[in-house]
């Protein structure tokens, strides 16, 4: 199934559409210009901005009772939540090899790409993540996905990627408050023309695939199955 999904993502990337356009398209080009555009239609360039959707904050960890996930956490209630989880008999992080399971705090986001007079916004299921043992701990690792990492390639969690990659910024020894502050500072640096026109909300990340993606995936699976049946 992973191979089928990977094949589907490659097909979707090849036929990717513009989600949002912020400028009026230019007049109809000439035939030679259209041919040139066709050759460069896949060369979307990142605009260098990521906007973090702070209403998508998610906390995950392995407790003594099992895997725990809290979604859409308010930053203001994060400290009280972690303290309560650490105090609970069954909600305490599971210990393995005398080490407690780490909390992982992640957030979704969006980035922008441009091609000529067109701009599109891309959803990022995991734009930044931080691992920590408690709210007071400074032995932490925060990872920020860079805008040049294609969201279609973001199948692997950024917490599982190796450190030797040019698609991540890794920062050590941050407090949770500093991590949140960095997200807010990055959001303030995004031009208002982009941040005020974001068509993607927290609900868009409720499922891994959109309805159109599911239909396209079903069609891809059907095509692959028919090839195997008649070969």
């Amino acid at each position: 199934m992973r191979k089928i999904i990977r094949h589907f993502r490659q097909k979707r990337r090849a036929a990717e559409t513009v989600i949002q356009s912020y400028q009026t398209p230019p007049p109809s080009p000439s035939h030679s210009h259209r041919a040139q555009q066709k050759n460069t239609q896949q060369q979307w360039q990142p605009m260098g901005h990521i906007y973090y959707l702070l209403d998508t904050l998610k906390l995950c960890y392995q407790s003594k009772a099992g895997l725990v996930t809290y979604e859409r956490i308010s930053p203001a209630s994060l400290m009280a939540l972690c303290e309560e989880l650490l105090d609970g008999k069954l909600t305490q992080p599971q210990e393995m090899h005398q080490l407690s399971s780490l909390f992982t705090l992640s957030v979704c986001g969006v980035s922008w790409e441009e091609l000529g007079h067109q701009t599109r916004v891309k959803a990022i299921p995991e734009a930044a993540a931080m691992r920590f043992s408690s709210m007071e701990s400074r032995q932490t690792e925060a990872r920020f996905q860079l805008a040049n990492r294609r969201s279609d390639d973001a199948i692997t969690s950024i917490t599982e990627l190796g450190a030797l990659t040019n698609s991540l910024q890794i920062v050590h020894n941050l407090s949770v408050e500093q991590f949140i502050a960095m997200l807010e500072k990055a959001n303030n640096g995004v031009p208002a023309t982009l941040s005020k026109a974001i068509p993607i909300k927290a609900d868009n990340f409720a499922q891994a695939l959109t309805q159109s993606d599911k239909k396209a995936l079903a069609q891809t699976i059907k095509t692959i199955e028919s090839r195997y049946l008649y070969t």
Side-chain angles (χ1 to χ4, degrees):
M1 187 64 182
R2 284 180 176 271
K3 292 183 178 180
I4 294 176
I5 293 178
R6 190 180 300 112
H7 176 74
F8 160 72
R9 288 183 182 275
Q10 291 173 349
K11 287 191 62 179
R12 186 180 66 174
R13 182 186 309 165
E16 205 155 25
T17 58
V18 177
I19 298 177
Q20 184 83 10
S21 179
Y22 297 103
Q23 299 185 27
T24 303
S28 179
S30 63
H31 177 74
S32 59
H33 187 59
R34 285 199 301 268
Q36 182 180 4
Q37 282 187 324
K38 184 176 180 180
N39 293 332
T40 60
Q41 64 180 349
Q42 300 301 322
Q43 298 178 5
W44 288 88
Q45 298 299 319
M47 298 181 67
H49 299 293
I50 291 183
Y51 190 91
Y52 301 99
L53 303 173
L54 296 181
D55 57 346
T56 65
L57 279 174
K58 180 170 68 174
L59 184 72
C60 298
Y61 76 103
Q62 183 70 36
S63 75
K64 292 183 177 180
L67 183 63
V68 177
T69 301
Y70 286 87
E71 296 186 355
R72 302 192 186 186
I73 303 172
S74 167
S77 64
L78 184 58
M79 178 176 289
L81 174 62
C82 289
E83 290 177 350
E84 185 173 331
L85 295 174
L86 289 170
D87 289 339
K89 184 177 180 180
L90 294 178
T91 59
Q92 292 178 354
Q94 177 69 43
E95 289 188 1
M96 295 184 63
H97 307 295
Q98 298 182 342
L99 294 175
S100 297
S101 172
L102 296 177
F103 291 107
T104 298
L105 181 66
S106 61
V107 64
C108 303
V110 297
S111 64
W112 291 265
E113 294 178 335
E114 60 183 350
L115 174 62
H117 294 269
Q118 295 177 317
T119 301
R120 66 182 181 185
V121 60
K122 306 292 294 293
I124 307 176
E126 193 177 52
M130 179 179 181
R131 282 178 168 175
F132 59 97
S133 57
S134 68
M135 293 293 290
E136 294 78 19
S137 175
R138 294 299 293 266
Q139 293 182 336
T140 63
E141 181 184 83
R143 296 187 168 206
F144 303 86
Q145 178 173 309
L146 299 181
N148 63 359
R149 185 189 187 206
R150 293 184 62 91
S151 60
D152 292 337
D153 295 333
I155 302 174
T156 304
S157 169
I158 61 175
T159 60
E160 298 176 4
L161 290 177
L164 300 178
T165 174
N166 61 359
S167 62
L168 294 177
Q169 177 187 6
I170 301 177
V171 183
H172 295 279
N173 303 326
L174 286 178
S175 67
V176 176
E177 291 83 357
Q178 288 174 324
F179 175 70
I180 299 295
M182 288 183 68
L183 301 180
E184 294 173 340
K185 182 178 179 180
N187 286 351
N188 292 333
V190 176
T193 53
L194 298 177
S195 61
K196 290 184 178 180
I198 298 177
I200 299 174
K201 306 299 179 184
D203 290 338
N204 295 109
F205 295 94
Q207 298 181 4
L209 299 175
T210 64
Q211 290 299 324
S212 59
D213 287 341
K214 290 178 181 178
K215 292 180 181 179
L217 177 58
Q219 183 60 43
T220 301
I221 294 174
K222 184 178 180 181
T223 302
I224 294 174
E225 288 178 343
S226 63
R227 289 177 181 174
Y228 280 107
L229 288 175
Y230 295 103
T231 55

